[in-house]
């Protein structure tokens, strides 16, 4: 890689876009960003009991297209498609970063009892699997306690970020005895300051940690 890094962001929902752009502005402002959005992916995932092979291949096709546009690195911003991201990453010669992997590592550095605030219930099983893999790699006997904040995502999609943030923060005290709390989705990161105001434990968000992980990976591959 020479010159400015060309980064493609792969989105399955538009509410993930602003948080990750904010993170790039703070952590890697010189990166050249392109956005690919298929918001039907999240709609279809919500209708399915499990992540189907059809949805996996649909997401993989999107990531492969991202590579063909000339990407030096790819960041997937939706936490519900972990297996699809893994499959795409295995077939491409550029770094493909999952949204939550770096966040989980940061939280696990704080202890073994990790709480998670989520707003999209279908993503929780795949995220729990990813968390277990991260803990195993670190040799940690950690456990994850997820809480799904019903209706918060609908409010955010409707443009009511304030109510979304309030509902997420209201659930934070239930995880106050954990060693750390993670906010499951890029969109949930908008509530971080309100969550931190309600608890005394470290609170981690996905966008910042993912951007830093991709930055390191792209520069390491150069």
């Amino acid at each position: 890689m020479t010159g400015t890094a060309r980064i493609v962001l792969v989105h399955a929902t538009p509410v993930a876009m602003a948080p990750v752009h904010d993170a790039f502005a703070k952590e890697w402002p010189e990166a050249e960003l392109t956005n690919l959005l298929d918001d039907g992916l999240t709609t279809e995932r919500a209708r399915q009991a499990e992540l189907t092979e059809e949805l996996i291949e649909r997401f993989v096709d999107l990531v492969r297209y991202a590579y063909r546009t000339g990407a030096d690195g790819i960041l997937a911003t939706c936490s519900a498609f972990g297996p699809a991201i893994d499959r795409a990453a295995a077939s491409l010669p550029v770094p493909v970063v999952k949204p939550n992997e770096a966040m989980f590592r940061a939280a696990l550095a704080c202890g073994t009892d990790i709480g998670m605030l989520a707003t999209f219930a279908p993503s929780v099983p795949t995220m729990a699997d990813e968390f277990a893999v991260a803990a195993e790699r670190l040799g940690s006997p950690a456990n994850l306690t997820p809480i799904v904040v019903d209706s918060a995502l609908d409010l955010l999609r409707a443009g009511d970020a304030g109510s979304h943030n309030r509902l997420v923060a209201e659930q934070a005290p239930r995880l106050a005895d954990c060693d750390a709390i993670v906010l499951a989705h890029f969109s949930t990161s908008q509530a971080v300051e309100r969550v931190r105001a309600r608890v005394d434990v470290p609170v981690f968000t996905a966008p910042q940690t993912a951007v830093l992980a991709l930055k390191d990976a792209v520069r390491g591959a150069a």
Side-chain angles (χ1 to χ4, degrees):
M1 185 194 74
T2 59
T4 301
R6 300 181 65 184
I7 304 301
V8 180
L9 307 175
V10 177
H11 309 284
T13 175
V15 294
M17 298 174 75
V20 72
H21 277 264
D22 289 345
F24 269 98
K26 294 175 183 176
E27 305 295 346
W28 197 6
E30 64 271 26
E32 178 186 318
L33 304 181
T34 299
N35 296 279
L36 291 180
L37 169 66
D38 180 354
D39 55 357
L41 282 164
T42 299
T43 302
E44 290 300 321
R45 179 64 188 92
R47 293 172 178 162
Q48 305 290 339
E50 298 180 352
L51 181 60
T52 64
E53 180 65 22
E54 180 182 0
L55 281 178
I56 289 174
E57 278 302 308
R58 181 170 160 183
F59 196 96
V60 169
D61 286 344
L62 195 61
V63 177
R64 288 174 178 161
Y65 174 74
Y67 169 67
R68 294 198 300 273
T69 67
D72 296 307
I74 299 166
L75 174 57
T77 66
C78 184
S79 54
F81 294 89
I85 302 167
D86 286 333
R87 185 180 299 182
S91 68
L92 295 177
V94 298
V96 179
V97 168
K98 297 167 78 171
N100 302 301
E101 189 172 1
M103 177 178 68
F104 284 150
R105 288 198 302 267
L108 286 165
C110 297
T112 59
D113 189 6
I114 309 301
M116 182 172 75
L117 292 169
T119 59
F120 187 60
S123 71
V124 172
T126 54
M127 291 189 69
D129 290 343
E130 291 175 24
F131 178 85
V133 170
E136 183 177 4
R137 286 174 178 167
L138 293 171
S140 170
N143 63 84
L144 182 69
T145 302
I147 292 176
V148 178
V149 186
D150 292 326
S151 78
L153 185 56
D154 290 337
L155 289 166
L156 186 60
R157 287 170 171 163
D160 191 353
S163 294
H164 164 274
N165 297 346
R166 175 180 55 79
L167 289 179
V168 172
E170 285 176 352
Q171 296 301 315
R174 295 173 58 188
L175 300 172
D177 292 333
C178 293
D179 296 313
I181 296 172
V182 296
L183 303 187
H185 322 296
F186 277 42
S187 58
T188 325
S189 68
Q190 298 177 59
V192 64
E193 295 306 325
R194 295 193 68 162
V195 171
R196 286 173 175 161
R198 299 293 296 269
V199 294
D200 293 326
V201 300
V203 180
F204 294 94
T205 65
Q208 181 184 29
T209 52
V211 168
L212 291 172
L214 181 60
K215 184 178 181 180
D216 288 344
V218 170
R219 290 184 171 178

